Structure formats: C-alpha cells, structure tokens
Amino acid sequence: VEIINAFTSSPESPPAGAVDILRAGLIPLLILKLKTESDEIQELILGTLSNCLRVEASEALASDVITILKEKLTHPSVTIRSKAAQVILEIGTHPEGKSTVCEEVIPLLVSLLEDADPEVQASAAGALMFATIKPKGRCLALRAEAIPRLLKLVAEENSKARLSAIKTLTMLAEVAEGRRKLLECTNTFQQCLRDPSEAVRRAAEIAIRVIQWKPF
C-alpha cells in the first residue's frame, strides 16, 4: 500500500514512480489486483494506473483493463466509479486507446453523466470527450442519447463537467444528426459566453460556430 501511495501524489503530471512501474512491468499485476483487493486498495491502484497511463497505455490494453474498468464504473463506491472513469479518460488520450473506449464503454459513460456525484460526472464527461474524437464514438454517443445529458451539465452553473461537456457536444455537432438536435439548444451555449472561465467562454464560442455552420 505504501508503494502504491507514493505513486499517486501528482494530479497534474505523472510522477517519476509511474515510469518506474511501467519499466518494471507491474501494470498487469495491478490490474489483476483490482479483482481481489479491498475498496481502499482498489482506489490506490486506480490512482496509480491513472498516473501510469498518462505515459503509456498499450500494456494495460493488452491486459484487458477495459473489461475490469467497466465493472468498476458501476461500483457502489463513488470514489471507485470516479477513478475508474479517470483511468478510461487517460486511456482515451492515446491513439490505440480511443477505438477500444469507443467500442466498449460509451453507453456506460453516458449513463454516468447523470451520477449523483459531481466528480463522477466530471470524470465521465472527460472520458467521453476523448471517446467521441473518433467518428464511430460520436455515432455511439448519439445512439446512447448523450446530448440531453450533456446539455444538462452545461446548464448547471456549478458543474465541474461543463467544459468537457461543451467540447463533447461540439464534436457531436460535427455529425449532421447531432447538429440538427443542437440547433434548438444554442441558448444554452449563449449563456456560457458570460461564464467566469475563459476556457468555458472560448469552448462555447467554438460550439456555437460548429452548430450553426452551413455548407455553401
């Protein structure tokens, strides 16, 4: 536990220990431990995996990590659900991970947008943002009725998931079906133009341009 704890200390960038874990080939063992350890240890393992997967994801994907993470996304523990979604987010930042996330977990991520916990919502929205970079991911998200749930997060004034939700909706607007649905909801994005966050304001401007785009 002490070793794992030492590698989960940096939320901004992967600590040096994450690279050491990857070099030592410990990722498959950590993933295996997610099946048997207590909730407290699982939380530490998921935090460690999140740091490690910022560096490299192929070993985790080869160890069928997605299958285990899908189970953790429905875990009774809020922390485990949130950390599992965060690991999926990190997987989605890698080219080899995007397709896997698209095919396996988009419906679950969409359902977590309505989770009672803001941290879970934010982690799910972030993971969905990367999963919808692929055209197939956008289609799957539309099929899972992601738009109304994402719009709800955008409209919530204190939503930690707002920025990721806006960016995901922008990608869904790249699909004709998504653009048609979002044309009726531009007021939600207009309200974000007055948001205190510059990043949110900029994302809302881009979203409006994409939604209102018309071919010549």
Side-chain angles (χ1 to χ4, degrees):
V1 177
E2 289 81 2
I3 294 173
I4 293 174
N5 231 338
F7 296 141
T8 60
S9 57
S10 173
E12 300 298 330
S13 59
V19 177
D20 294 335
I21 286 177
L22 287 163
R23 287 176 177 167
L26 295 177
I27 295 297
L29 177 60
L30 289 174
I31 292 170
L32 190 63
K33 289 290 184 181
L34 283 174
K35 296 180 178 180
T36 58
E37 293 291 348
S38 66
D39 287 0
E40 180 184 3
I41 302 301
Q42 287 184 50
E43 291 173 12
L44 294 173
I45 291 172
L46 288 167
T48 301
L49 287 173
S50 182
N51 282 326
C52 291
L53 294 179
R54 292 179 204 173
V55 181
E56 198 268 334
S58 58
E59 192 174 18
L61 289 170
S63 301
D64 201 24
V65 67
I66 294 293
T67 298
I68 297 173
L69 290 174
K70 284 170 66 177
E71 297 175 3
K72 303 307 174 185
L73 288 176
T74 57
H75 196 280
S77 164
V78 167
T79 303
I80 287 178
R81 292 199 306 276
S82 179
K83 286 181 177 289
Q86 184 65 34
V87 174
I88 289 173
L89 186 157
E90 300 298 347
I91 291 172
T93 65
H94 298 276
E96 69 270 33
K98 285 183 175 64
S99 296
T100 305
V101 172
C102 283
E103 294 171 3
E104 297 286 337
V105 295
I106 281 182
L108 277 174
L109 292 175
V110 171
S111 68
L112 288 178
L113 296 174
E114 295 183 314
D115 195 276
D117 185 78
E119 293 292 341
V120 176
Q121 291 178 345
S123 296
L128 196 61
M129 177 180 67
F130 284 103
T132 51
I133 289 174
K134 291 269 189 180
K136 183 177 181 180
R138 297 170 199 166
C139 293
L140 289 172
L142 287 169
R143 196 179 305 162
E145 299 293 335
I147 285 180
R149 299 174 189 187
L150 289 165
L151 285 169
K152 184 177 178 182
L153 292 178
V154 174
E156 289 178 2
E157 197 167 315
N158 297 318
S159 173
K160 298 182 70 172
R162 175 181 288 172
L163 182 58
S164 294
I166 293 172
K167 290 183 176 180
T168 305
L169 286 165
T170 302
M171 283 182 280
L172 295 181
E174 297 280 355
V175 181
E177 177 189 349
R179 190 158 56 250
R180 282 195 302 271
K181 292 180 178 179
L182 289 167
L183 271 170
E184 303 172 359
C185 309
T186 52
N187 284 344
T188 300
F189 299 96
Q190 294 285 353
Q191 292 170 9
C192 292
L193 297 178
R194 299 187 296 272
D195 196 274
S197 166
E198 181 183 354
V200 169
R201 295 196 303 271
R202 191 183 311 118
E205 289 173 1
I206 294 170
I208 292 168
R209 285 204 301 271
V210 173
I211 292 166
Q212 294 181 338
W213 174 86
K214 294 180 180 180
F216 293 105

